[in-house]
Amino acid sequence: MMTSLSLSVLGMLGFTLLAFWGVAGWALVRTLGQERRKVEILAHQDRMDTYSPTALAELREWIEEHPDDPLADEARAQYNECVTVLRTTDMHFYDWSNEEIADLEPL
Amino acid sequence: MAGTQAKTARAEWGTRFGFLMAMIGAMVGAGNIWRFPYVAGNNGGGAFILAFLILLFVLAIPGLMAEVALGRYTGKGVIGAFREVVGRGGLVGFGVVVLLVNVALMSYYAPVIAWTLYYAIHSLLFSFTASGFEPVAFWDGFLANPVLTIGLHTVVMGSIAAILALGIRRGVERIVVYAVPALVLSLVIMTIRGLTLPGASEGIAFTFGVEWAYLTYSGTWIEALGQALFSTGLGWGIALTVGSYLREYDDVPLGGGVFTALGESSIGILAALAIFPIVFAVGVAPDAGANLAFISLVQVFPEIPFGGLVAVLFFVGFFLATFTSGLLITEVSVTTLEEETRFDRTQTVLGVCGLIWLLGIPSAYSAELLDYLDFVFGSWGLPLATLAIIGIIGWVLGPERLRLLAVNRNAGIHVGQWWDPVVKYVIPAVMLFIMGYFAYDEFGSIEMIGGMVVLLTFPIIGYAIMTVLEGRDRRTEPVDVPGGDD
């Protein structure tokens, strides 16, 4: 059957399967893999880091730029929670280096 | 996580897979099966798919991330989430608008689920491959029999009530973790059967043949826009509600955004592969909507080997797709009303399902009324709900705040600053464009008048209800997040 299809149709079919099923499958495998990792970490310790290095840096930058924002206290609490967890636990979900953790200061 | 206890009294998804299947089960509905394949084939095939994919990434995925994140951030249903953002008062009524649209949507969607149930039952009885079977007469006879249509509408709402009464984990999650994979499996088997038929390649070429010129037609982009937004259920309160049951360390953007949008669209792609090779192999003209599912396909099943079994796969899968959507659409009202009233979950489920059943009787009785409501709410009601939800995120809470506090917290992928203007400007502008486009296109028609009634009365009703209800409680609180994050 496939031999009777033109190359452009086959190419589009392949692209579509890759773009939809391929990416959705990748997302499913990745998120379920991350779930397993989180379960492992929580079996080992009570708390877990909540931000990646990039996301935590963005959060800090925003807090420093908006110190009087109505949500600044909540943001500070989330930032400090992540810093505390990173300093007091040895298993981390995100890819934190020891140097990066040592450089973190609570706000 | 899966092995840890719930940390709050509020229900939570038992597993990550349960959350993901709830999102897919909610978003995959009749449109994926009976609309997407035909619309794609009729609008340049591969060109349409490319436009659709671009719009998924530009609009639907960021929008779904925002809606799930709002639910997760507030930990509340629609009305509670609005109150958390805008503070007490009449503006919470925009949450009521979302609720009213959901109830209206479900009132005419429940009879559609009943249609799929009727055909699923008859597929199991092998009615469609029996000698002398007449598809058109069968379909017309069914619609003309109110005992059947209203009776099955009652069965559907009763079944939904029974499952929802069991709760999020024991009811909804238990169903979707089996129903969604069963739907995918049934379509995969049907695809294999279709692709092995002589002449099936024409069906593939219909959907996946590329006519690049269609990318320059405005009609292609408008169709792709409608498919990308309506198929993913963006802004209807479903993603917000499902997200509100996420657990402490759950991710939002990867599962709630990327996987949901592409996963549910993938089922539309699979439906195209399952349906059109068979349709073209038998030589029946391609079609969309009820005509495709209940007349065209029913005509082709007797013509192919193992057609009776293929019919079972298709109609049982189709029923599962519509039924799981119905479950989650109804859950939107159940979650928020359970939180906002003194009723327990069972009482709320009975009240909501009873109301939807009652409001759905006219649509179960008259397919013409159902079509009318579908057009009115699809063109104006649902975009209004989306505008309300994305509007409060973009213009009151602020996308940057939500991204930093909820989207990127525990996230499986990092969402950058590009996301903020998409949520604040692009999605609301697109919603206004859709409503304006349909108003222009249908100017003066009874559909347009119905749409304008919805656009005017729903916000007024919502505002009035919440002004009265919130006014009773004197513990007024100031809005603590005014003006967005600019």
Side-chain angles (χ1 to χ4, degrees):
Chain A
M1 190 278 294
M2 290 296 187
T3 52
S4 61
L5 290 170
S6 69
L7 272 180
S8 70
V9 173
L10 285 173
M12 192 66 216
L13 177 60
F15 168 77
T16 304
L17 291 176
L18 196 66
F20 286 88
W21 281 94
V23 179
W26 164 82
L28 180 63
V29 169
R30 182 177 165 92
T31 195
L32 292 178
Q34 289 176 340
E35 162 82 355
R36 276 191 296 276
R37 171 76 181 145
K38 288 178 179 178
V39 170
E40 273 175 31
I41 293 173
L42 288 179
H44 177 73
Q45 59 202 37
D46 287 341
R47 309 294 294 165
M48 185 168 55
D49 50 317
T50 47
Y51 284 96
S52 68
T54 310
L56 196 68
E58 272 191 342
L59 182 62
R60 183 183 181 104
E61 189 183 335
W62 181 83
I63 294 167
E64 288 171 346
E65 287 174 4
H66 304 84
D68 300 322
D69 189 279
L71 297 184
D73 285 343
E74 186 180 343
R76 247 178 242 113
Q78 288 191 191
Y79 179 90
N80 289 338
E81 182 210 4
C82 186
V83 171
T84 304
V85 169
L86 283 166
R87 286 178 166 182
T88 55
T89 56
D90 54 0
M91 279 182 81
H92 304 137
F93 177 69
Y94 294 106
D95 195 17
W96 285 95
S97 68
N98 289 335
E99 292 74 25
E100 284 172 325
I101 294 171
D103 288 343
L104 290 172
E105 289 293 336
L107 288 168
Chain B
M1 314 324 307
T4 59
Q5 292 298 310
K7 291 184 171 62
T8 66
R10 199 168 193 274
E12 294 177 327
W13 298 110
T15 63
R16 181 75 179 155
F17 189 68
F19 159 72
L20 297 171
M21 292 303 104
M23 289 294 283
I24 296 291
M27 305 316 179
V28 172
N32 297 67
I33 312 277
W34 75 18
R35 185 173 185 274
F36 177 82
Y38 180 77
V39 170
N42 243 13
N43 287 279
F48 175 88
I49 290 172
L50 200 59
F52 174 61
L53 185 65
I54 290 168
L55 293 172
L56 277 183
F57 274 97
V58 173
L59 297 172
I61 291 176
L64 281 171
M65 287 176 184
E67 193 183 342
V68 176
L70 180 63
R72 192 268 183 70
Y73 176 65
T74 60
K76 298 220 163 59
V78 173
I79 294 176
F82 271 69
R83 187 182 295 110
E84 289 277 315
V85 175
V86 302
R88 289 187 170 277
L91 287 178
V92 181
F94 284 97
V96 176
V97 170
V98 177
L99 209 64
L100 293 174
V101 169
N102 262 276
V103 169
L105 166 67
M106 192 56 198
S107 76
Y108 65 82
Y109 196 66
V112 174
I113 303 172
W115 297 353
T116 64
L117 175 60
Y118 185 64
Y119 273 69
I121 292 168
H122 272 281
S123 71
L124 290 165
L125 297 172
F126 294 96
S127 303
F128 308 131
T129 45
S131 61
F133 179 78
E134 292 289 339
V136 176
F138 184 80
W139 173 236
D140 289 342
F142 170 56
L143 289 185
N145 187 339
V147 173
L148 268 178
T149 54
I150 296 172
L152 286 170
H153 167 61
T154 307
V155 169
V156 165
M157 286 316 302
S159 307
I160 286 175
I163 293 166
L164 292 185
L166 292 172
I168 287 294
R169 201 181 290 196
R170 288 196 309 133
V172 177
E173 187 170 350
R174 258 192 203 168
I175 294 292
V176 294
V177 295
Y178 294 108
V180 175
L183 163 66
V184 173
L185 185 66
S186 66
L187 288 175
V188 167
I189 296 172
M190 197 173 155
T191 299
I192 294 168
R193 171 66 283 197
L195 292 179
T196 52
L197 291 171
S201 58
E202 284 180 48
I204 301 289
F206 175 72
T207 307
F208 298 98
V210 188
E211 295 180 63
W212 294 114
Y214 274 82
L215 281 177
T216 63
Y217 303 160
S218 60
T220 305
W221 287 92
I222 288 168
E223 286 283 3
L225 189 61
Q227 188 69 33
L229 293 173
F230 299 133
S231 172
T232 54
L234 171 62
W236 303 0
I238 301 170
L240 187 157
T241 303
V242 174
S244 75
Y245 293 110
L246 278 171
R247 297 157 303 172
E248 186 179 358
Y249 290 110
D250 273 334
D251 144 275
V252 167
L254 183 59
V258 177
F259 174 73
T260 300
L262 290 174
E264 79 88 32
S265 304
S266 295
I267 293 185
I269 301 288
L270 185 58
L273 287 168
I275 294 170
F276 281 138
I278 292 178
V279 167
F280 276 83
V282 176
V284 173
D287 208 337
N291 281 345
L292 170 69
F294 302 130
I295 295 176
S296 299
L297 275 172
V298 175
Q299 282 174 329
V300 306
F301 291 133
E303 305 297 323
I304 60 173
F306 305 108
L309 291 174
V310 177
V312 171
L313 290 170
F314 176 75
F315 283 114
V316 171
F318 194 16
F319 168 69
L320 292 175
T322 57
F323 187 76
T324 51
S325 295
L327 270 181
L328 272 302
I329 293 169
T330 310
E331 180 62 48
V332 173
S333 305
V334 170
T335 291
T336 200
L337 290 177
E338 186 189 0
E339 287 170 358
E340 299 293 325
T341 65
R342 293 175 189 164
F343 299 116
D344 64 21
R345 184 171 175 93
T346 304
Q347 291 167 328
T348 311
V349 165
L350 289 175
V352 168
C353 291
L355 177 67
I356 291 170
W357 171 78
L358 199 63
L359 293 174
I361 288 175
S363 295
Y365 182 76
S366 164
E368 287 77 25
L369 177 66
L370 190 154
D371 283 342
Y372 175 77
L373 291 173
D374 185 31
F375 191 85
V376 167
F377 281 94
S379 305
W380 294 285
L382 292 169
L384 177 66
T386 308
L387 202 56
I389 289 181
I390 299 297
I392 65 154
I393 294 171
W395 292 88
V396 184
L397 177 58
E400 188 179 20
R401 286 172 175 149
L402 187 65
R403 182 169 60 83
L404 295 170
L405 293 172
V407 175
N408 279 336
R409 196 176 189 215
N410 302 303
I413 51 171
H414 180 72
V415 178
Q417 292 176 351
W418 60 268
W419 186 81
D420 305 346
V422 170
V423 173
K424 184 162 187 167
Y425 300 108
V426 180
I427 298 175
V430 166
M431 287 301 142
L432 290 171
F433 167 75
I434 285 180
M435 289 191 279
Y437 173 81
F438 282 118
Y440 174 77
D441 203 42
E442 294 290 327
F443 190 76
S445 70
I446 191 166
E447 283 82 6
M448 185 252 190
I449 293 166
M452 296 307 109
V453 168
V454 169
L455 287 183
L456 283 174
T457 57
F458 277 32
I460 292 171
I461 291 169
Y463 189 86
I465 288 174
M466 293 320 291
T467 300
V468 171
L469 292 179
E470 304 277 84
R472 281 185 194 165
D473 191 337
R474 295 298 171 198
R475 293 170 300 155
T476 51
E477 303 157 6
V479 181
D480 60 355
V481 284
D485 51 20
D486 283 338

